[in-house]
Amino acid sequence: MRGFGDLEAVIMDIMWRRESPATVRQVQQQLTAARPVAYTTVMTVMDNLFQKGYLQRQMTGRAWSYEPSASREQYTAQLMRDALEAAGDQSAALAHFVASMSESQSQMLRWLLRRRSAGGR
């Protein structure tokens, strides 16, 4: 798994913020409020995101309705796992990551680890 391209990231941000599936037209209209983007460009990018597994779709009337395959948090967690697996020295990579955390992030990590050790999820 890798990061998104610029337009992919903007489209995924729109999709993650939505509470319901969206058609290409709905996403294109939302995008053009900030910058002009052709319908066919949005359609191609959303189809690419579908092909890569980031979006799922179903036919609604005559148009595809898209929704994210995973939450933003699940995607972020996968990126973190992939980065750790790619590290030459995972222990050093984790140490650098933890050292860069804020105090509140560090407390959250400790709480999550205690919860995991206690058998909770």
Side-chain angles (χ1 to χ4, degrees), residues 88-101:
D89 182 344
Q90 291 185 0
S91 179
L94 276 172
H96 286 289
F97 180 72
V98 170
S100 70
M101 291 177 144

Side-chain angles (χ1 to χ4, degrees), residues 4 7 11 20-21 30 41-42 48 63 66 69 71-72 92 102 105:
F4 297 120
L7 189 53
I11 289 173
S20 61
Q30 197 167 345
T41 300
V42 177
N48 289 343
Y66 292 84
S69 299
S71 70
R72 181 188 311 263
S102 69
Q105 291 169 332

Side-chain angles (χ1 to χ4, degrees), residues 16-83:
W16 278 320
R17 290 175 185 268
R18 292 184 61 86
E19 295 181 11
S20 61
T23 64
V24 171
R25 175 76 57 210
Q26 291 169 318
V27 173
Q28 189 257 345
Q29 288 172 345
Q30 197 167 345
L31 276 169
T32 56
R35 63 180 181 180
V37 181
Y39 175 88
T40 54
T41 300
V42 177
M43 180 177 64
T44 299
V45 172
M46 289 181 74
D47 185 62
N48 289 343
L49 288 166
F50 167 74
Q51 297 297 329
K52 293 175 182 179
Y54 299 118
L55 293 176
Q56 48 192 343
R57 69 183 181 194
Q58 67 178 37
M59 189 61 77
T60 306
R62 293 178 26 185
W64 290 111
S65 288
Y66 292 84
E67 62 185 334
S69 299
S71 70
R72 181 188 311 263
E73 294 75 18
Q74 290 168 322
Y75 170 75
T76 302
Q78 186 61 52
L79 282 178
M80 293 166 69
R81 283 191 297 274
D82 291 348

Side-chain angles (χ1 to χ4, degrees), residues 7 12 32 52 80 83 106 109 111 116:
L7 189 53
M12 286 304 298
T32 56
K52 293 175 182 179
M80 293 166 69
S106 182
L109 180 59
W111 179 81
R116 182 173 183 224

